Amino acid sequence: MTTKTNIGSALTALRTGNHLTIQEAAKHLKLTPSSYSNYEHGRSYPDIRLIFRTAVYYHINIEFLIFLVCIDLASFENLKNEELFRLFTYGHTFSWDFFELFERYNSLSDVYKHAASTFLEAASICNQQI
């Protein structure tokens, strides 16, 4: 029995959101349907080539896909959330004061607010798929 991974959930959401079968998605990403199914179901992890192809094909941010793989691997490596967070913030630490967080968000330009909202929507879709 396998456990659904964050990256597997994202691949499923991207595929189904674009009304593709596993066979169609696999063909576009230069994989066998069996290999693609293994990624979706958490039986294996995509390499950087597949992450790159997926980002290009679906027109999404490659960092988001890499982040999902890292979240999955961090749980297997017993990496604490704080350590994972540091990997993506270049070692900087931030206050988790929510009022400060909202103030910073409100000071962002509309372009960055949209990017943050898109990321949160994608994370929510992945979370619902699990």
Side-chain angles (χ1 to χ4, degrees):
M1 182 174 170
T2 58
T3 303
K4 194 75 165 179
T5 58
N6 290 297
I7 190 64
S9 295
L11 290 171
T12 301
L14 288 166
R15 177 180 59 77
T16 59
N18 285 279
H19 311 288
L20 297 172
T21 65
I22 286 178
Q23 291 77 12
E24 291 167 329
K27 181 179 178 182
H28 289 295
L29 297 172
K30 302 176 184 176
L31 298 169
T32 65
S34 174
S35 293
Y36 189 87
S37 179
N38 285 337
Y39 295 127
E40 278 196 8
H41 292 95
R43 291 186 285 266
S44 55
Y45 282 96
D47 64 11
I48 194 65
R49 285 183 182 168
L50 178 57
I51 290 171
F52 176 79
R53 285 186 198 133
T54 302
V56 170
Y57 180 72
Y58 291 113
H59 307 286
I60 60 171
N61 186 318
I62 195 168
E63 290 177 340
F64 174 68
L65 297 174
I66 292 170
F67 180 68
L68 293 177
V69 170
C70 288
I71 289 173
D72 292 332
L73 294 176
S75 68
F76 291 118
E77 297 292 327
N78 296 317
L79 193 66
K80 294 179 184 173
N81 287 341
E82 298 82 28
E83 294 170 316
L84 179 63
F85 184 71
R86 257 186 236 108
L87 292 174
F88 286 90
T89 59
Y90 307 102
H92 297 109
T93 56
F94 298 93
S95 167
W96 285 102
D97 178 347
F98 286 104
F99 292 111
E100 179 184 343
L101 188 61
F102 287 123
E103 284 178 24
R104 287 183 180 202
Y105 175 81
N106 285 330
S107 69
L108 294 174
S109 71
D110 288 341
V111 171
Y112 287 116
K113 283 181 183 176
H114 177 72
S117 295
T118 301
F119 175 81
L120 292 173
E121 287 174 25
S124 177
I125 289 170
C126 291
N127 193 34
Q128 291 171 7
Q129 296 291 324
I130 294 177

